[in-house]
Amino acid sequence: AMRTIAEAASKHLGQPLVVDNKPGATGTLGPAVMAANAKPDGYTIAQMPISVMRLPLMQKTAWDALKDFTYIVHLTGYTFGVTTKADNQFKTWADVVEYAKAGIKLTHVPFKGGAETNAAVLGGHTTLQADSTGWKPLVDAGHLRLLAIWTAERSKNWPDAPTLKELGYPFVFDSPFGVAGPKGMDPAVVQKLHDAFKKAIEDKAVIEAMARYDMVPRYLDTAGYRKLVGEIIDSEKAALEKIGLARKE
């Protein structure tokens, strides 16, 4: 989807945007290289996954998520949800809550990816899974049941699945991402890039591409994006401290 967004933004900038994939390091390699080496002239920008904000809270990194980037525009996020095997006793999230009232103990079982998680639920080795939409084909085929989604609004793909907010939990989790450049960028350049990407996510081809990947449009301007980053850092820090994964100073 990022390539489609870049192509659409190129039309409004009047020059091509070249996408340079830098896989690895939980998505932080591209932003890290940019922060260390790129000039703040607007010609090098990066997609910013939530791991850019989370990783410095867990281990020493070469960047500070607030100080070393110029946040330009927030674009979208991913759909996450809780699923269970379709033929078990949990038909709704309320069923899970009612069952939990009996005093059950929940065990968190981490997996390397969605394929392993799906297999564990289908095989009856785990009861519930919380993940992004790697479960989509299994839900659509009726093998898994989607009990709740974590986006701000219900998904058009699964309109019967309630949001966390509807269920009484004041949370939205959609692994947000946007675009940022190195620190110290000229505000006029930031504005030009912001405007191009804002128009890009309104492009029909981009909307269709985002829908294919279950990505939720979530536009925020430059100030709103920077504010969101600060809120994410505070939230992630509290969560990591609670589960004992926060970096020891």
Side-chain angles (χ1 to χ4, degrees):
M2 195 61 209
R3 288 187 181 276
T4 307
I5 293 172
E7 289 172 5
S10 295
K11 293 186 291 186
H12 303 292
L13 290 169
Q15 55 185 304
L17 285 174
V18 179
V19 177
D20 180 14
N21 285 329
K22 291 190 178 297
T26 65
T28 65
L29 186 58
V33 171
M34 178 188 70
N37 301 318
K39 296 178 181 179
D41 55 11
Y43 285 96
T44 304
I45 55 178
Q47 175 184 336
M48 304 293 281
I50 195 171
S51 49
V52 173
M53 298 114 209
R54 180 184 295 140
L55 200 60
L57 302 173
M58 301 177 68
Q59 63 188 54
K60 186 175 181 180
T61 60
W63 72 89
D64 182 297
L66 272 178
K67 297 178 181 178
D68 291 330
F69 301 101
T70 300
Y71 290 92
I72 298 169
V73 59
H74 186 269
L75 301 172
T76 183
Y78 294 93
T79 299
F80 286 77
V82 178
T83 65
T84 190
K85 195 175 180 183
D87 61 2
N88 76 11
Q89 73 267 40
F90 300 134
K91 308 304 180 188
T92 66
W93 183 253
D95 293 337
V96 178
V97 174
E98 191 62 31
Y99 186 75
K101 289 179 180 178
I104 63 169
K105 180 181 179 181
L106 295 176
T107 302
H108 175 229
V109 184
F111 289 92
K112 293 180 180 178
E116 291 184 3
T117 311
N118 286 332
V121 177
L122 288 171
H125 307 294
T126 56
T127 308
L128 303 164
Q129 70 158 318
D131 202 357
S132 58
T133 54
W135 38 254
K136 178 178 180 176
L138 294 168
V139 169
D140 291 347
H143 301 304
L144 294 178
R145 178 180 293 109
L146 180 59
L147 299 174
I149 60 170
W150 300 359
T151 46
E153 299 177 355
R154 291 198 182 203
S155 169
K156 294 179 181 178
N157 293 333
W158 305 283
D160 294 333
T163 66
L164 289 178
K165 292 172 72 175
E166 287 180 85
L167 294 169
Y169 309 100
F171 305 115
V172 173
F173 299 112
D174 58 8
S175 192
F177 82 73
V179 174
K183 66 180 179 181
M185 288 179 62
D186 183 333
V189 174
V190 172
Q191 188 65 49
K192 186 172 183 178
L193 288 166
H194 163 276
D195 293 349
F197 277 97
K198 183 177 186 295
K199 291 175 182 176
I201 59 172
E202 297 167 353
D203 186 280
K204 182 180 178 181
V206 171
I207 293 170
E208 291 174 350
M210 290 169 64
R212 284 197 300 273
Y213 293 102
D214 306 302
M215 298 167 72
V216 182
R218 191 179 171 196
Y219 161 75
L220 290 173
D221 64 13
T222 301
Y225 188 15
R226 183 175 174 80
K227 181 175 181 288
L228 175 66
V229 170
E231 292 170 351
I232 289 172
I233 290 172
D234 290 343
S235 174
E236 291 287 315
K237 183 178 181 181
L240 290 167
E241 287 175 347
K242 186 173 183 179
I243 61 178
L245 294 178
R247 174 185 170 189
K248 302 295 190 293
E249 298 295 341

